[in-house]
Amino acid sequence: MEVIPVATVQAGPSGHTHAPPKHRWWALAVIGLAQLMVVLDATIVNIALPSAQQDLGFDNNGRQWIVTAYSLAFGSLLLLGGRLADLFGRKTTFIIGIVGFAAASAVGGAANGFTMLVVARAVQGLFGALLAPAALSLLTTTFTEPKERAKAFGIFGAIAGSGAAVGLVLGGLLTEYLNWRWTLYVNDVIAIPALIGAVVLIGRSVPAERPKLDILGAVLVSGGLFGVVYGFANAETHDWDNWMTWGFLAAGGLLLVAFFLWQARAKHPVLPLRVLADRDRAAALSTVLISSAGMFGVFLFLTYYLQSTLGYSPVKNGVAFLPMVGALMVMAQLSTNWLVPRIGPKIVVPVGMLLAVGGMVWLTRLDLHSSYAPHVLPPLLLLGAGLGMSMPAAMSYATLGVRASDQGVASAAVNTTQQVGGSISTALLNTLATSAATDYAKHHLTDPLVKADAALHSYTVAYWWSAGFFAFAVLVTVLLFRARTRASLPAQDAGGRVRSETTPAAGAEPGAVAPAAAETVPGTAGRTATATLPAVGAGGAAAIRGQVRDGAGAPVPGTAITVLDATGHQLARTTSGQDGWYAVDIPERGSLVLIGSASGYQPQVATLTLDGTPVSHDLVVLPSPGGVAGTVRGGDGEVLPGALVVATDRHGDVTASATTGTGGGYRIGDLLPGDYTLSVSAPGHRPAAVPATVSAETTRCDIRLSTAATLWGTVHTQDGRPLEDARVTLIDAAGNVVGTRTTSVDGGYSFTDLASEQYTVIAAGYAPVATQVTVDGSRAGVDILLSHKEA
């Protein structure tokens, strides 16, 4: 649904009003700068590694650790960083991430040795894990109006998709004309305006219900991601049969399996599984994962080709990627602003992946005599167009519809899939390319250009595998993305009134259904509240529109929406549709009161200020807490003070408890509507469990406990002597063994806490003796005489 910006909105605590922030486009620039810092570091330092190695004097294995230290900290802590953004607020986490990332970059740039540089890179990754999900979640919550959201994600996706290429350009320029240390110092140059902008332009946003941190889940996911990322990083420098490679991969996989199993049970999960449950979101995350894997085939091996085969300098190599960046940015805007809103992601994203497949296949035709303009540039443009069509749309859908309290961790999931995809690709493609080069050299020893041809063959193998990644993404996105049905305009009668009550409005979100038909409020002549959303471009728009959702984000149909003026007069009334959407159209301006009430939910009230511009306002209604009350009595009708009443939900979890007062009464409040079991116990009485259905009102449930009886007696011989160690078994009327006792020195036994019914007592010491007894009171005595004398 298209949501038109509003100038002034004041909302109470009952709902979330999507009033666009005043400086949202400047905020986008700040968020983009922060994202640029994170994505630059994936490649910018790589260009500077040879210079840093020569300056600091570390070996080739140390070069790998400069890259791995960042990716390990960044990849393993992303989900935790996303949850911390939800916990402490996105703006706070964003600012901490910028400051920490900039400080670590300054330390790394000033490093006087290998250890100092590695530690700085690891700290960079740590604060990057805070910064990246906070940036994406801020973007998601800042731009809620569909058209503006599309533009914003087009820009953001272009930065995320082209950051690696920009890093190559900037890294080459800084290394060649300044110093390798400036590949780290440049982050501080970017961080200064980003930090000032974040403090001034980004509004503070703290969820109304702060999530609690799941410590076990955080340990499991961080350990699991560390194992996976380290395993793939180890595969780059060692063989795949190295025990550390498979050991870390296996351990990481087991920890991630344990993490997801735990998340299904945890009360406050790090990654609520509802975030991954949506088909469109799963498709979007799969696109990010597979596209990231495929992209590295371009940046990594095409860089090798340009520098080693064509002899490009680092700067010229980086500039060669700029046309791809331009194509990506153009297609990102075209895709998110025009293609996806009209066609839907089910077609646009797979087509983008197909273009990327074509670009990778085209690159396999490069040889030793190829040149840039006719042979390298066309596939780069095709790849840029394909990634521009798919990546921004995927990022947008990966966070679309996520509840506010989960935006941070949902954004972290996007960054995590991107990081894991890159790690998998780098390790796998490097290994495959190296093996391909070795095999080619073995079989072409007589080739005078065997070294160059072997390298070229290895690049081709990597391109084919990258094309395979993109082709797999085509299949996944076609199967997972939901098909989009084109919205049709509501049918109108001769008078221009809408005849259909369920026809979606043009431009509505996929799956959106127009709410119920308009209702004219008596006594408000000429004032009509229409619940059918006006068609875009049909000559008007509803004054107030939005969706009613419950605390879990599910739509609440049938919610009564009432609009009052400042004097309390009712202006309009309507009802939300099956998808929770509502719309009311009133000519008044000024301060109005919006009331939403639904059966079983607490009424919600918001104050809106209308100045002639349509307002978008979503209501979040919470279930109305009910309760259960009653009196606990004994078998004779006497009240039982001090009885314990415990309420458990349908999962068996204890939700509340109470103790009866002097009059035997109890009351348990603040129970959500649903089915419960009340368990009651009192001294001297049999415990009882009764079902209770709690609604929005207080439910009456009186409970009666039966008196607990005691059966006792002695076992003695025929001559009257008590018999010690005789076995006494009590069986109820249904044949169940209630209990077994062994007589004491005086021959005594007892059974307590019995219901009033018929039992069979069996004593065995000599020949067994069975006696029936009916317990009908608090105590009953049965003496048992065994049949023959002791030998």
Side-chain angles (χ1 to χ4, degrees):
M1 177 186 301
E2 181 191 3
V3 181
I4 301 175
V6 62
T8 306
V9 177
Q10 298 173 336
S14 61
H16 300 291
T17 300
H18 300 323
K22 184 178 180 181
H23 304 293
R24 58 193 180 281
W25 293 109
W26 283 108
L28 173 61
V30 172
I31 296 168
L33 281 175
Q35 179 68 11
L36 183 62
M37 280 200 306
V38 176
V39 296
L40 278 180
D41 270 66
T43 54
I44 191 171
V45 175
N46 297 17
I47 299 293
L49 281 179
S51 299
Q53 183 179 7
Q54 184 177 3
D55 188 12
L56 300 180
F58 53 85
D59 57 19
N60 288 335
N61 288 334
R63 290 175 61 173
Q64 180 61 33
W65 272 106
I66 304 301
V67 177
T68 303
Y70 177 83
S71 60
L72 279 177
F74 184 68
S76 59
L77 296 175
L78 269 169
L79 280 176
L80 177 59
R83 209 49 175 163
L84 290 176
D86 292 330
L87 182 63
F88 296 110
R90 287 175 282 274
K91 179 178 179 178
T92 302
T93 308
F94 184 73
I95 291 175
I96 292 173
I98 292 176
V99 173
F101 198 91
S105 299
V107 172
N112 56 12
F114 171 73
T115 302
M116 185 175 177
L117 182 56
V118 169
V119 171
R121 289 285 287 166
V123 176
Q124 265 190 316
L126 186 153
F127 283 101
L130 290 177
L131 181 59
L136 184 55
S137 60
L138 277 173
L139 182 73
T140 302
T141 54
T142 300
F143 294 91
T144 56
E145 191 273 317
K147 285 189 176 180
E148 291 191 348
R149 177 186 172 92
K151 292 178 182 177
F153 268 92
I155 296 170
F156 186 86
I159 293 173
S162 61
V166 175
L168 293 174
V169 178
L170 198 55
L173 288 170
L174 293 173
T175 303
E176 185 166 338
Y177 295 109
L178 290 175
N179 187 282
W180 69 267
R181 298 179 184 275
W182 276 96
T183 60
L184 292 162
Y185 287 148
V186 70
N187 290 322
D188 297 283
V189 177
I190 298 173
I192 292 173
L195 179 60
I196 296 173
V199 173
V200 175
L201 300 173
I202 296 178
R204 184 172 299 277
S205 175
V206 179
E209 186 177 343
R210 288 174 180 252
K212 296 181 180 179
L213 186 60
D214 174 20
I215 301 297
L216 177 59
V219 172
L220 288 174
V221 71
S222 298
L225 289 173
F226 181 92
V228 170
V229 175
Y230 186 84
F232 282 114
N234 191 74
E236 294 181 57
T237 54
H238 300 77
D239 293 333
W240 276 94
D241 58 358
N242 181 271
W243 71 268
M244 290 186 67
T245 298
W246 288 109
F248 273 95
L249 286 175
L254 289 174
L255 287 174
L256 289 178
V257 170
F259 167 72
F260 283 109
L261 292 175
W262 170 246
Q263 295 306 279
R265 301 174 52 193
K267 290 185 177 180
H268 306 285
V270 173
L271 177 61
L273 297 185
R274 61 177 176 268
V275 173
L276 306 178
D278 183 74
R279 276 182 56 186
D280 284 343
R281 194 169 299 119
L285 291 174
S286 301
T287 302
V288 173
L289 175 71
I290 303 171
S291 298
S292 299
M295 282 168 57
F296 276 82
V298 184
F299 296 129
L300 188 64
F301 293 96
L302 191 55
T303 295
Y304 292 161
Y305 174 77
L306 293 174
Q307 292 192 19
S308 302
T309 304
L310 299 187
Y312 280 25
S313 68
V315 175
K316 189 176 180 181
N317 174 84
V319 173
F321 282 98
L322 290 182
M324 175 185 172
V325 174
L328 193 152
M329 289 184 171
V330 171
M331 285 306 300
Q333 291 299 315
L334 181 62
S335 170
T336 54
N337 290 291
W338 194 82
L339 293 175
V340 172
R342 287 164 174 77
I343 305 174
K346 191 176 182 68
I347 296 176
V348 175
V349 175
V351 168
M353 294 291 98
L354 278 175
L355 292 179
V357 171
M360 295 308 305
V361 172
W362 199 335
L363 286 175
T364 63
R365 301 177 63 84
L366 295 177
D367 56 32
L368 297 179
H369 307 290
S370 298
S371 56
Y372 180 76
H375 305 112
V376 178
L377 181 59
L380 275 181
L381 292 175
L382 195 60
L383 278 163
L387 293 174
M389 287 182 67
S390 55
M391 285 290 284
M395 286 188 165
S396 177
Y397 269 80
T399 55
L400 184 65
V402 178
R403 65 169 67 176
S405 60
D406 293 334
Q407 283 292 347
V409 74
S411 302
V414 177
N415 287 280
T416 301
T417 53
Q418 195 171 13
Q419 177 68 22
V420 171
S423 299
I424 293 172
S425 171
T426 304
L428 182 62
L429 295 182
N430 259 325
T431 305
L432 292 169
T434 302
S435 300
T438 303
D439 291 342
Y440 184 92
K442 286 181 180 179
H443 295 89
H444 298 80
L445 294 176
T446 59
D447 184 358
L449 298 175
V450 60
K451 185 177 181 180
D453 284 333
L456 186 63
H457 176 69
S458 70
Y459 307 155
T460 301
V461 170
Y463 298 150
W464 277 114
W465 273 91
S466 294
F469 288 146
F470 288 124
F472 180 60
V474 173
L475 180 63
V476 170
T477 52
V478 166
L479 292 176
L480 287 183
F481 270 119
R482 293 187 182 93
R484 174 163 183 165
T485 57
R486 293 184 62 86
S488 58
L489 294 177
Q492 296 182 346
D493 60 19
R497 293 182 296 272
V498 175
R499 289 189 278 113
S500 171
E501 297 182 1
T502 58
T503 304
E509 291 290 349
V513 179
E519 178 181 355
T520 302
V521 180
T524 56
R527 299 174 181 177
T528 304
T530 175
T532 301
L533 300 183
V536 176
I544 307 172
R545 63 171 70 182
Q547 188 183 32
V548 184
R549 303 187 303 272
D550 61 16
V556 180
T559 302
I561 304 295
T562 306
V563 180
L564 307 177
D565 62 15
T567 62
H569 291 98
Q570 183 171 294
L571 302 178
R573 184 175 69 244
T574 189
T575 305
S576 63
Q578 290 300 313
D579 56 357
W581 285 97
Y582 74 90
V584 290
D585 192 10
I586 52 177
E588 278 74 8
R589 297 190 181 190
S591 180
L592 303 175
V593 177
L594 180 71
I595 303 173
S597 58
S599 177
Y601 294 88
Q602 301 178 54
Q604 301 297 327
V605 181
T607 301
L608 310 178
T609 302
L610 270 65
D611 61 355
T613 307
V615 172
S616 173
H617 184 82
D618 290 353
L619 286 173
V620 177
V621 293
L622 300 177
S624 177
V628 60
T631 304
V632 179
R633 299 179 181 274
D636 296 331
E638 76 280 10
V639 297
L640 297 178
L644 176 64
V645 184
V646 178
T648 56
D649 61 18
R650 58 188 182 89
H651 300 294
D653 296 327
V654 175
T655 56
S657 62
T659 303
T660 57
T662 55
Y666 72 92
R667 177 179 176 80
I668 300 176
D670 293 333
L671 293 177
L672 295 178
D675 294 327
Y676 294 85
T677 299
L678 301 181
S679 303
V680 188
S681 58
H685 292 78
R686 295 277 294 167
V690 296
T693 299
V694 177
S695 63
E697 306 296 333
T698 300
T699 301
R700 181 76 184 181
C701 185
D702 295 329
I703 304 169
R704 186 178 292 267
L705 301 182
S706 59
T707 303
T710 300
L711 177 63
W712 58 274
T714 59
V715 178
H716 51 82
T717 62
Q718 196 169 13
D719 57 2
R721 290 185 296 110
L723 186 59
E724 182 182 3
D725 292 332
R727 184 181 180 85
V728 181
T729 303
L730 186 67
I731 300 175
D732 64 15
N736 301 308
V737 176
V738 176
T740 302
R741 302 286 187 271
T742 302
T743 57
S744 59
V745 176
D746 60 357
Y749 71 91
S750 66
F751 295 92
T752 60
D753 196 27
L754 299 177
S756 298
E757 60 177 85
Q758 189 179 64
Y759 296 92
T760 300
V761 184
I762 300 176
Y766 296 95
V769 174
T771 303
Q772 281 194 339
V773 58
T774 299
V775 176
D776 188 15
S778 61
R779 294 177 63 84
V782 176
D783 292 336
I784 303 174
L785 177 66
L786 292 183
S787 61
H788 59 274
K789 294 182 179 180
E790 185 176 4

